[in-house]
Amino acid sequence: EIVMTQSPATLSVSPGERATLSCRASQSVRSNLAWYQQKPGQAPRLLIFDASTRATGIPARFSGSGSGTEFTLTISSLQSEDFAVYYCQQYNNWSPLTFGGGTKVEIK
Amino acid sequence: EVQLVESGGGLVKPGGSLRLSCAASGFTFSNYNMNWVRQAPGKGLEWVSSISSSSSYIKYADSVKGLFTISRDNAKDSLYLQMNSLRAEDTAVYYCARASGGNSGFDYWGQGTLVTVSS
């Protein structure tokens, strides 16, 4: 099983600041990585796929980078609606598909 | 507009069974692989099962293998999850999710249905 480790668990950021979230895979997943945003009481929303491609309708302030085992999600200037939990997911190996434990981005 | 609507959740006793459904609309259901993902209260996301567009390819998480069965009816635009021998640790919100066209992540999710396993 590919284990996905996200850090930090909680990130405190002021509105307008940059947020950098990390995701590490226990073995290479090439670029087969997605990022999701989840707000309380809502379903997850796909932000980034293939490590760096924004999904339809996702603002340009969200960007993804990395390949292999190290990945980063950057939110360039946090807006109030961006405070949420973010998950990474690898789909290089579907047996099983695995998610990271999540990073909560909270208001500083 | 793509919509996924889950139903069938509820309170069930340990050892009981439940069948979840996911009604799809707004896209050609038979062209897409589909998935179930769950989230225990206050916890992260856990992939449960996947089924290919023609049902020829099915995968399960080890935690549910032999207990849960995923299926689909392309004529009814519907996805199902039959859950047997339920345990307290199966308590979660269950989401159905569409795999994107290139199987690059899950691009649409339902609102989820809560399954509570308790005596």
Side-chain angles (χ1 to χ4, degrees):
Chain A
E1 172 177 331
I2 298 175
V3 177
M4 307 301 292
T5 303
Q6 292 188 240
S7 61
T10 303
L11 186 62
S12 297
V13 186
S14 299
E17 290 188 341
R18 172 187 295 258
T20 302
L21 289 66
S22 295
C23 175
R24 173 177 292 177
S26 61
Q27 59 186 271
S28 177
V29 299
R30 300 187 293 175
S31 293
N32 296 316
L33 184 109
W35 289 95
Y36 300 87
Q37 176 194 67
Q38 187 179 33
K39 298 178 182 179
Q42 296 185 17
R45 177 174 71 144
L46 178 66
L47 297 176
I48 301 284
F49 63 93
D50 292 347
S52 61
T53 303
R54 278 190 301 277
T56 302
I58 301 304
R61 64 180 181 273
F62 291 91
S63 63
S65 63
S67 66
T69 61
E70 300 284 344
F71 300 89
T72 300
L73 174 69
T74 302
I75 312 171
S76 59
S77 176
L78 270 159
Q79 307 298 301
S80 57
E81 61 267 29
D82 300 335
F83 293 95
V85 179
Y86 293 82
Y87 294 94
C88 61
Q89 176 207 34
Q90 68 81 20
Y91 46 87
N92 189 64
N93 183 341
W94 284 59
S95 297
L97 277 170
T98 46
F99 290 90
T103 291
K104 181 180 181 181
V105 177
E106 64 177 23
I107 299 174
K108 187 174 183 180
Chain B
E1 178 194 4
V2 171
Q3 283 199 319
L4 298 170
V5 179
E6 302 94 337
S7 60
L11 176 63
V12 61
K13 289 181 168 53
S17 297
L18 216 52
R19 188 194 196 206
L20 305 184
S21 298
C22 173
S25 60
F27 66 102
T28 304
F29 181 72
S30 59
N31 286 351
Y32 289 86
N33 299 337
M34 297 296 296
N35 307 273
W36 289 100
V37 176
R38 68 183 179 183
Q39 187 169 36
K43 302 298 184 182
L45 301 171
E46 180 188 15
W47 169 77
V48 173
S49 183
S50 298
I51 186 169
S52 63
S53 56
S54 62
S55 303
S56 58
Y57 175 94
I58 288 176
K59 289 287 186 181
Y60 298 100
D62 285 347
S63 56
V64 306
K65 201 172 292 182
L67 301 173
F68 290 9
T69 302
I70 191 172
S71 62
R72 64 190 294 162
D73 186 336
N74 287 343
K76 294 183 178 180
D77 292 342
S78 293
L79 175 72
Y80 306 102
L81 186 68
Q82 176 67 43
M83 305 187 295
N84 297 330
S85 302
L86 283 160
R87 307 157 295 185
E89 54 264 39
D90 296 317
T91 294
V93 173
Y94 285 73
Y95 295 101
C96 71
R98 188 183 85 168
S100 70
N103 286 326
S104 300
F106 298 166
D107 57 356
Y108 286 94
W109 297 64
Q111 85 288 351
T113 187
L114 176 62
V115 172
T116 303
V117 184
S118 174
S119 55

